[in-house]
Amino acid sequence: MRSKELPEELRDRNVARHRSGQGYKKISAALKVPKSTVASIILKWKTFGTTRTIPRAGRPAKLSYRGRRALVRE
């Protein structure tokens, strides 16, 4: 199951710590966020120049994967 999005303020703090020279491991420990999450936030910031939520590609699915399987079973 996917987790919810992090607040924009927390993502901004991630970037601020990165810009001050801290490594992923220290940022992760300080903000209690997984290292992979810290890395993906910083990668997104480097790519798009923002930490805001950007529109996703494509239309969201009406049924979840589980719902689709249940429908096929019926």
Side-chain angles (χ1 to χ4, degrees):
M1 178 181 228
R2 296 178 97 178
S3 62
K4 300 290 180 190
E5 288 179 357
L6 292 177
E8 190 176 339
E9 180 259 332
L10 182 63
R11 289 179 273 170
D12 288 336
R13 276 194 279 160
N14 254 321
V15 172
R17 285 176 181 263
H18 174 72
R19 291 181 78 178
S20 70
Q22 283 190 3
Y24 292 176
K25 202 172 191 178
K26 284 188 178 180
I27 296 171
S28 169
L31 300 177
K32 295 180 178 70
V33 177
K35 232 186 327 182
S36 59
T37 304
V38 171
S40 65
I41 289 169
I42 292 169
L43 179 68
K44 178 182 172 183
W45 172 72
K46 284 180 178 177
T47 307
F48 299 108
T50 183
T51 56
R52 301 191 100 178
T53 305
I54 52 177
R56 292 168 180 87
R59 178 180 175 165
K62 269 209 189 260
L63 293 176
S64 66
Y65 179 69
R66 251 178 108 173
R68 206 173 313 133
R69 280 189 7 233
L71 199 59
V72 168
R73 261 200 319 275
E74 280 184 26

